[in-house]
Amino acid sequence: MGRVKNLIELRTRRGPGKKSRKQAPPEVPKSVEEPEEAKKFSRRQKQRLIKRKLRKDIASQSQIPKKVKKITRKDEDDDELSLGSDGEGKEMDSSGYDEESASPKKKNLKQVVDSDSVDSAAEEQSDEDSEEEADNSEEEDDSDEEDDSEEQDDSEGEDDNDEEDDNDEEDNDDDESGSDDADEIKGFTDENKAWLTLKSEKKKLEESDDDVLPDDFAGDSSSDEESDEDSDSDDEDGSDGDDDDLLPVERAAKKLDKKLKRDKKLAEAELQMNISQKETYELPSGQEIEREVIEPPDLTLLHQRIKDVLEVLGDFNNRRQEDRSRREYLFQLKKDLASYYSYNDYLIGKIVELFAITELIEFLEANEVQRPITIRTNTLKTRRRDLAQALINRGVNLDPVGKWSKVGLVIYESSVPIGATPEYLAGHYMMQGASSFLPVMALAPQENERILDMCAAPGGKTSYIASLMKNTGMLFANDANKERVKSIVGNIHRMGITNTVICNEDGRSFPKVIGNFDRVLLDAPCTGTGVISKDPSVKTNKDMLDVQRIVTIQKELLLSAIDSVDAKSKTGGYIVYSTCSILVDENEWVIDYALKKRNVKLVSAGLDFGRPGFKRFRERRFHPTLEKTRRFYPHTHNMDGFFVAKLKKMDNELPKSKDKTQQETEETEEKDEKVKKQKNNKKPKKNK
Amino acid sequence: MRPLTDEETKALFEKLSKYIGENIKLLIDRPDGQYCFRFHRDRVYYVREALMKRAANVTRKHLVSFGTCFGKFTKSYKFRLHITALDFLSPYAKYKVWVKPGSEQSFLYGNHVAKSGLGRITENTAQYQGVVVYSMSDVPLGFGVAAKSTQDCRRTDPMSIVLFHQADIGEYIRHEETLT
């Protein structure tokens, strides 16, 4: 008793559960500064964005409007002082102008500046400074951020590249500052000398600081800012002192040019850095692998690595590591996929072989997602339109499955259990995967034929065949599993099918029980690699031995299915082989085997979609007509992985090379292999 | 698989006649072919003769079902109709009961039908008459026995049972194992 109590205690936990954790109080943004959009970017991206934007702004607008502001102010001064000789200004302008392609507006502005600057420089100086400060203050805020971020970048960056960038920047700064100094020395008036020199010195000092204390954000940023400010004011001053030298606007433009160049360099470096990051993806070392064996896998890391390896494999020549071969990458990829999607090594190997690298992930992802529920209308009892209406009235959201089927409906959502509605119980529809319509459509049963469904349970395909035959003719539904046969009985009766005999034979013994069928449908037992989304246990519990075993059964079943068909049938003589597996071993290989063993040939399945089967696969070479078979994949057709092949029996006689009296169904796999090898280069024999 | 003995045939026909009356002969004389009843593993199957002959190829052990299963003989040799026979009962049924959508579900879970769930009922249904049950949209749901005659049904109070449940199509899910 005490044990029971303990167990219960273990199970129930009190206190704040997951829910309380999940539902944190909604966060109200504290500041308005950061826009919502920016949050989507990573921090660095944000910084880059701001930087870029700022630079653009500076390049395009900042110089002119700023000047305009100042100058308009000056214009006012002009009026007050009633000074200004345009002619003079123009002359000077022409002398000062060299390479810039300034707008006429700019020119005018300059003229004004020049004209008044000569006289009123001293008086304006103090005013201007204060104005400028006001003007710049806005700018400062922004650029402060920028610089801050830069500095943080640098301080955080551990890469060599980063440091290099840093150095580059500083170099540039130095250059600039040097030139600035020169300008300053020229341009100073006596009054300004004192504080201007001081600032430049200060700047130098702080630059030296920069090297020592890279994480002193505030000081640095301010210093940079001040230097900019300095230079601006310098320009003004310079215009005062040396009229014959460059005009202030020009100087500013030059400086901007320089800055742009520097930015470009930076951007390039950044770009290089990014590229190099991509290129330097390295496969994990032996130690890392060892560590992973011990520790539980880190899914995000795995995912990233899968992505990286896929990228490398996408452009192998350029992105590979020199000393690593493709095989190593593939090995790593397989291992990672296996642990990420939890497949066993054998199956993931098979899947990797089957798909192109780009398709591989799509397929694996599709296997994680459930396929939509589809139902098939029972045309013996109702029509699709009526059924759809009845179900819609019950609150089911549905749609026709596609142009290729007139009886299928896709269920998107339903407020009632779709497998227990009165319509279902009355046999108006059958729950059935879209993929299981296909073999029946390929079989194309006709009325009054004799048809065998060899592996029928749970009777979905059987009932579809019966409804296509309109309850005429004879339909034999067989399944080897006694328990599963019961589901056939239920479904057949529910659907109102009366032309069916249900038996519980081993399919391999079938031609002995009853033969001479017009058509045979063999939906062979398989590993179920096409329906992993339905049954994920396939991922781990199928290995090579299982596949081999099942392939043998499939081959035997197919031969016995072919033997059950009457080649002389007026309407038929067809065999449809289908599996819900995507492995070549279970599909093309089995068909190829039958083509060699029996007088059959492949005919078009009559399905206008799906991918053609493989004519060759890795080391195997199949009969060229195998492209008439059809493959369906979860990621391309949104139905279960499926394979359909339609064979026409040409002759009841066995091919000559085979001993007629011998029963091939009793052969073992090894024997088959031997025969295959002998026949490998020969074309399978066919008469007619 | 074998033909029914006289005794078995009598038991079967008696039972069937409770639901479809003299329409039994329509089951046997069909324009679209010869049909017959066959006994296989205590169960009675109604099957086209041509199909029956083919089904004879399968050994008794491995033959699970053929045609339509009508019902089974109990150990005491009484015949019991299965829901699988509904497809042949409903077209020929003489007395019918329609249940309202509300009690449709209740009937499909194996419950009797109360007066409140009764939608319609064939005139002059006698008490203990075998009837086929339909939904209001004329989908056959099963069969049962009228607990009260039509006249009595009019008078009785809403909660009293008017139809005893015998079989319903919900059994396809509930009793899939024992259908055959």
Side-chain angles (χ1 to χ4, degrees):
Chain A
M1 296 305 281
R3 205 167 125 251
V4 174
K5 214 173 183 182
N6 275 335
L7 278 173
I8 290 161
E9 272 170 12
L10 277 174
R11 243 176 258 150
T12 50
R13 276 182 190 150
R14 304 269 169 183
K18 266 184 191 169
K19 237 180 190 176
S20 65
R21 243 176 285 148
K22 262 183 197 169
Q23 296 173 332
E27 281 180 33
V28 182
K30 282 167 193 165
S31 60
V32 203
E33 283 175 1
E34 270 195 2
E36 288 273 314
E37 279 179 41
K39 274 178 188 171
K40 286 172 192 169
F41 295 112
S42 71
R43 209 180 127 274
R44 288 206 175 187
Q45 275 174 321
K46 243 191 282 175
Q47 289 162 359
R48 264 177 240 143
L49 206 76
I50 292 165
K51 225 188 266 180
R52 237 173 273 148
K53 206 175 167 190
L54 259 172
R55 271 166 208 158
K56 221 183 261 173
D57 286 353
I58 291 163
S60 58
Q61 308 159 5
S62 67
Q63 80 183 90
I64 300 160
K66 225 199 275 174
K67 297 294 169 196
V68 171
K69 266 189 194 169
K70 285 171 201 164
I71 285 150
T72 45
R73 190 63 194 264
K74 277 172 197 169
D75 271 329
E76 286 166 26
D77 291 353
D78 234 349
D79 292 336
E80 283 172 1
L81 297 166
S82 71
L83 273 170
S85 55
D86 285 5
E88 217 184 316
K90 265 178 194 170
E91 278 168 30
M92 293 170 89
D93 190 36
S94 62
S95 69
Y97 239 66
D98 39 14
E99 81 265 66
E100 308 300 339
S101 60
S103 60
K105 193 181 170 191
K106 224 177 179 181
K107 249 184 198 173
N108 285 335
L109 296 175
K110 269 177 211 158
Q111 287 162 14
V112 179
V113 172
D114 293 336
S115 58
D116 65 14
S117 61
V118 181
D119 300 278
S120 57
E123 295 155 22
E124 278 175 70
Q125 190 63 58
S126 56
D127 293 1
E128 260 181 37
D129 279 350
S130 60
E131 278 168 36
E132 257 176 61
E133 270 168 18
D135 285 347
N136 286 341
S137 61
E138 289 172 31
E139 218 189 330
E140 248 177 280
D141 288 345
D142 295 0
S143 46
D144 251 322
E145 267 183 39
E146 170 205 336
D147 289 345
D148 264 27
S149 63
E150 257 180 53
E151 292 306 319
Q152 276 176 331
D153 250 8
D154 295 347
S155 64
E156 278 173 17
E158 293 163 7
D159 293 36
D160 296 4
N161 289 333
D162 266 22
E163 277 172 37
E164 276 168 21
D165 286 343
D166 219 351
N167 294 337
D168 284 347
E169 217 176 313
E170 276 160 25
D171 288 345
N172 287 339
D173 281 343
D174 287 349
D175 291 346
E176 218 182 346
S177 63
S179 60
D180 285 354
D181 287 357
D183 285 345
E184 280 161 26
I185 292 155
K186 271 182 198 170
F188 293 150
T189 54
D190 290 1
E191 290 161 76
N192 289 334
K193 222 173 200 170
W195 62 272
L196 274 173
T197 40
L198 260 174
K199 269 201 173 174
S200 68
E201 273 169 26
K202 193 179 164 193
K203 183 182 75 189
K204 274 180 195 167
L205 274 172
E206 269 162 18
E207 264 174 20
S208 61
D209 275 0
D210 211 333
D211 294 343
V212 183
L213 299 164
D215 43 353
D216 186 8
F217 307 134
D220 287 337
S221 63
S222 66
S223 79
D224 279 4
E225 209 37 59
E226 276 164 82
S227 74
D228 281 352
E229 225 178 293
D230 273 10
S231 53
D232 272 19
S233 56
D234 281 356
D235 294 341
E236 297 299 323
D237 297 351
S239 68
D240 296 345
D242 334 79
D243 294 78
D244 54 331
D245 217 328
L246 290 176
L247 290 168
V249 182
E250 288 174 325
R251 214 173 288 158
K254 251 190 179 177
K255 195 173 279 178
L256 269 170
D257 270 358
K258 239 184 229 169
K259 205 177 182 189
L260 273 179
K261 260 186 207 169
R262 195 181 59 185
D263 288 350
K264 229 182 200 174
K265 240 187 203 173
L266 266 174
E268 224 163 82
E270 202 174 30
L271 201 74
Q272 283 294 329
M273 199 175 73
N274 282 349
I275 290 167
S276 64
Q277 253 181 1
K278 267 178 198 166
E279 277 178 344
T280 53
Y281 171 70
E282 290 180 5
L283 284 171
S285 63
Q287 278 184 330
E288 282 173 294
I289 290 168
E290 254 175 46
R291 203 187 315 140
E292 271 169 31
V293 171
I294 302 162
E295 292 168 6
D298 175 9
L299 283 186
T300 51
L301 187 113
L302 274 181
H303 189 66
Q304 186 57 42
R305 198 159 65 197
I306 288 167
K307 257 166 71 184
D308 287 335
V309 172
L310 282 177
E311 221 159 69
V312 173
L313 288 171
D315 186 4
F316 192 65
N317 282 338
N318 294 329
R319 294 181 192 155
R320 64 183 290 194
Q321 270 174 280
E322 282 307 314
D323 53 337
R324 299 293 195 140
S325 68
R326 194 181 182 87
R327 182 185 279 181
E328 283 173 276
Y329 279 99
L330 273 176
F331 178 76
Q332 185 62 42
L333 181 67
K334 274 188 214 173
K335 242 186 62 178
D336 290 346
L337 287 175
S339 52
Y340 187 72
Y341 292 103
S342 62
Y343 285 82
N344 65 17
D345 291 342
Y346 172 75
L347 194 59
I348 201 78
K350 283 281 180 192
I351 291 170
V352 170
E353 282 173 7
L354 201 59
F355 292 107
I357 290 295
T358 45
E359 222 182 335
L360 181 62
I361 299 295
E362 283 178 48
F363 172 75
L364 293 174
E365 282 296 339
N367 277 344
E368 304 298 309
V369 185
Q370 287 289 323
R371 302 275 83 76
I373 301 167
T374 48
I375 60 173
R376 181 181 54 79
T377 320
N378 181 13
T379 48
L380 292 174
K381 288 201 168 182
T382 184
R383 286 177 301 175
R384 183 164 77 170
R385 202 193 309 148
D386 300 341
L387 173 66
Q389 196 52 53
L391 287 177
I392 286 167
N393 289 343
R394 294 206 184 272
V396 181
N397 186 1
L398 46 73
D399 237 0
V401 76
K403 274 183 183 170
W404 51 273
S405 172
K406 284 180 179 169
V407 291
L409 288 167
V410 182
I411 308 291
Y412 293 121
E413 58 176 343
S414 167
S415 51
V416 291
I418 206 71
T421 62
E423 280 77 20
Y424 176 81
L425 295 172
H428 289 186
Y429 64 90
M430 180 92 189
M431 284 172 81
Q432 196 172 11
S435 58
S436 44
F437 295 11
L438 303 170
V440 181
M441 287 163 70
L443 188 71
Q446 311 291 312
E447 288 174 39
N448 293 312
E449 280 188 328
R450 269 175 53 190
I451 296 179
L452 168 65
D453 186 355
M454 252 192 169
C455 307
K461 295 181 190 74
T462 314
S463 59
Y464 191 14
I465 294 172
S467 69
L468 286 177
M469 291 165 76
K470 301 202 171 71
N471 251 339
T472 62
M474 289 170 205
L475 175 58
F476 275 71
N478 178 66
D479 201 277
N481 188 327
K482 205 166 191 175
E483 290 306 306
R484 280 161 66 85
V485 160
K486 285 177 181 165
S487 64
I488 310 180
V489 176
N491 281 324
I492 290 289
H493 281 100
R494 187 169 57 80
M495 308 291 269
I497 292 161
T498 57
N499 65 344
T500 306
V501 175
I502 301 160
C503 48
N504 183 26
E505 299 270 1
D506 185 348
R508 285 171 285 190
S509 63
F510 220 88
K512 280 184 260 172
V513 178
I514 183 168
N516 288 342
F517 286 97
D518 294 313
R519 291 162 203 263
V520 174
L521 172 63
L522 173 58
D523 184 32
C526 63
T527 51
T529 46
V531 287
I532 291 173
S533 55
K534 258 190 214 163
D535 178 17
S537 67
V538 172
K539 285 175 179 182
T540 47
N541 65 10
K542 293 281 183 281
D543 61 2
M544 191 167 69
L545 215 63
D546 289 313
V547 173
Q548 269 180 1
R549 215 173 276 144
I550 225 154
V551 166
T552 314
I553 294 171
Q554 283 166 343
K555 284 174 178 173
E556 289 168 354
L557 279 172
L558 182 54
L559 289 190
S560 103
I562 293 170
D563 291 339
S564 308
V565 171
D566 180 16
K568 297 190 181 79
S569 157
K570 279 173 196 162
T571 54
Y574 294 102
I575 302 102
V576 169
Y577 175 84
S578 67
T579 63
C580 56
S581 171
I582 52 160
L583 300 184
V584 174
D585 305 42
E586 297 179 68
N587 299 324
E588 278 87 350
W589 198 16
V590 176
I591 296 294
D592 194 54
Y593 171 81
L595 286 175
K596 284 167 186 162
K597 290 281 188 180
R598 290 290 184 274
N599 271 318
V600 289
K601 71 169 186 183
L602 273 165
V603 292
S604 167
L607 301 167
D608 51 358
F609 63 117
R611 295 205 191 155
F614 292 102
K615 278 187 286 186
R616 57 195 181 82
F617 182 73
R618 297 177 78 85
E619 74 278 3
R620 287 181 195 140
R621 297 290 174 273
F622 303 124
H623 197 271
T625 54
L626 265 162
E627 65 179 347
K628 285 181 179 169
T629 62
R630 282 282 173 274
R631 283 177 157 269
F632 300 88
Y633 295 123
H635 58 287
T636 51
H637 305 101
N638 197 19
M639 48 175 80
D640 298 325
F642 220 77
F643 174 85
V644 179
K646 187 174 184 181
L647 297 156
K648 170 129 178 72
K649 190 166 180 183
M650 304 310 291
D651 198 335
N652 285 336
E653 300 292 311
L654 297 180
K656 279 169 195 167
S657 62
K658 207 63 211 161
D659 189 3
K660 279 179 198 172
T661 54
Q662 197 183 345
Q663 274 294 328
E664 276 136 338
T665 48
E666 287 158 17
E667 274 182 24
T668 59
E669 174 77 350
E670 287 84 6
K671 272 186 193 168
D672 293 343
E673 287 287 344
K674 273 181 203 165
V675 175
K676 262 181 84 75
K677 270 175 198 165
Q678 285 164 11
K679 281 188 169 183
N680 230 353
N681 295 326
K682 281 189 233 164
K683 276 190 176 179
K685 279 172 192 170
K686 276 195 191 138
N687 37 2
K688 293 163 221 170
Chain B
M1 187 202 313
R2 62 168 172 80
L4 301 178
T5 61
D6 287 350
E7 212 174 299
E8 285 159 355
T9 314
K10 198 172 160 236
L12 168 68
F13 280 26
E14 254 173 29
K15 191 68 144 188
L16 279 178
S17 66
K18 280 185 182 165
Y19 297 91
I20 58 176
E22 59 274 21
N23 286 337
I24 295 175
K25 67 172 187 284
L26 292 174
L27 282 180
I28 295 159
D29 303 328
R30 280 174 62 150
D32 57 340
Q34 288 280 312
Y35 277 74
C36 59
F37 289 98
R38 279 293 177 274
F39 183 93
H40 174 66
R41 289 207 247 178
D42 281 346
R43 279 166 174 76
V44 175
Y45 292 92
Y46 175 67
V47 64
R48 203 171 65 236
E49 257 185 14
L51 185 61
M52 179 267 293
K53 279 176 182 159
R54 294 290 175 193
N57 284 7
V58 186
T59 53
R60 188 155 35 144
K61 192 184 161 198
H62 292 130
L63 185 62
V64 179
S65 159
F66 52 101
T68 308
C69 176
F70 260 47
K72 71 168 185 180
F73 280 99
T74 61
K75 297 282 192 258
S76 55
Y77 278 92
K78 282 178 185 133
F79 186 73
R80 171 175 269 194
L81 272 175
H82 276 169
I83 185 60
T84 47
L86 184 67
D87 275 336
F88 291 95
L89 295 183
S90 67
Y92 305 118
K94 299 193 82 174
Y95 297 96
K96 300 178 181 180
V97 165
W98 287 265
V99 296
K100 287 177 181 166
S103 68
E104 199 176 279
Q105 203 69 24
S106 160
F107 178 74
L108 289 181
Y109 279 98
N111 301 318
H112 304 306
V113 179
K115 161 85 187 296
S116 59
L118 187 69
R120 281 201 293 169
I121 185 164
T122 314
E123 277 300 316
N124 59 51
T125 308
Q127 198 174 17
Y128 307 131
Q129 167 71 48
V131 292
V132 175
V133 181
Y134 292 82
S135 73
M136 291 309 280
S137 50
D138 274 336
V139 176
L141 299 177
F143 47 86
V145 169
K148 290 190 167 61
S149 67
T150 312
Q151 312 302 341
D152 293 341
C153 282
R154 295 210 174 103
R155 264 174 250 130
T156 186
D157 65 306
M159 291 318 292
S160 67
I161 291 166
V162 294
L163 179 100
F164 295 125
H165 167 273
Q166 279 186 331
D168 66 87
I169 52 178
E171 286 173 27
Y172 282 122
I173 291 180
R174 295 204 306 276
H175 304 145
E176 193 181 55
E177 303 293 299
T178 55
L179 277 178
T180 53

